[in-house]
Amino acid sequence: LGTMALAAQRIAMNAMSLSFLPGFGFGIAATALVGQSIGARQPEEARVMGNIATLWGVIWMSLLGLIFLLFPEPIMRFFSSDPEIVATGASGLRIIAFTQPFWAVSFVQAGALRGTGDTQYPLWVNTVAIWAAVGLGALLVWYVSSSMAAAWASFLLTAPISAWLLWRRFHRVITTVAPTVL
């Protein structure tokens, strides 16, 4: 896509990393709180802690997604004055704005699963999701549109799936495996 798209990608990733911080933070909190509850033999409390952390992660990341959706150009102009970089990065930020709630669920539910001791499932789901997004993004760029927005649109398809898989697994582990392990 060229050097301008690469520059826009890097800048948009810097802006997007601000939304990842709350998601990762709530994911780490979920790991600790769920793990503590499981250790205390209170799986229902673990479920509640996972749900509360997920709710707060979704709230924070959705708010940041709303900012990305409404103000992508000013965000990009904070890093660059080049109109092509700003326009390219803004289109990517608009697309990524819609993935924020799904990524919040993924980040936090992966942390909650790690708190139950289930570390491999989140690893595999996230690995497959990222590589699926990369492959799908390449296909979209080659066959639909040679733009950063097309590449990032792949996350609109993969993020909800990985979020659902991690959410479903956490709730299954808490209701079936955790009580029997205790």
Side-chain angles (χ1 to χ4, degrees), residues 40-115:
R41 302 185 188 286
Q42 297 178 354
E44 179 57 26
E45 183 177 305
R47 185 189 62 74
V48 170
M49 292 296 113
N51 288 342
I52 290 171
T54 301
L55 175 64
W56 280 102
V58 168
I59 289 169
W60 276 97
M61 288 184 71
S62 295
L63 287 172
L64 289 163
L66 186 61
I67 291 169
F68 295 158
L69 183 65
L70 298 176
F71 307 107
E73 289 88 1
I75 292 169
M76 292 299 295
R77 278 195 295 271
F78 184 73
F79 296 97
S80 174
S81 60
D82 185 293
E84 185 178 350
I85 290 174
V86 169
T88 301
S91 68
L93 279 177
R94 280 189 194 97
I95 297 289
I96 289 302
F98 293 102
T99 65
Q100 296 304 303
F102 300 110
W103 280 345
V105 171
S106 291
F107 294 167
V108 181
Q109 292 292 290
L113 278 167
R114 286 190 291 272

Side-chain angles (χ1 to χ4, degrees), residues 94-168:
R94 280 189 194 97
I95 297 289
I96 289 302
F98 293 102
T99 65
Q100 296 304 303
F102 300 110
W103 280 345
V105 171
S106 291
F107 294 167
V108 181
Q109 292 292 290
L113 278 167
R114 286 190 291 272
T116 69
D118 187 354
T119 58
Q120 288 189 6
Y121 189 81
L123 170 71
W124 285 108
V125 167
N126 287 322
T127 299
V128 170
I130 289 294
W131 283 108
V134 168
L136 184 57
L139 291 173
L140 289 172
V141 167
W142 287 330
Y143 296 111
V144 176
S145 170
S146 293
S147 68
M148 190 170 99
W152 284 24
S154 63
F155 289 108
L156 290 174
L157 300 171
T158 59
I161 295 168
S162 61
W164 179 76
L165 288 170
L166 291 164
W167 179 86
R168 185 184 73 172

Side-chain angles (χ1 to χ4, degrees), residues 23-42:
F24 290 151
F26 285 110
I28 292 167
T31 302
L33 293 170
V34 168
Q36 183 178 15
S37 298
I38 293 294
R41 302 185 188 286
Q42 297 178 354

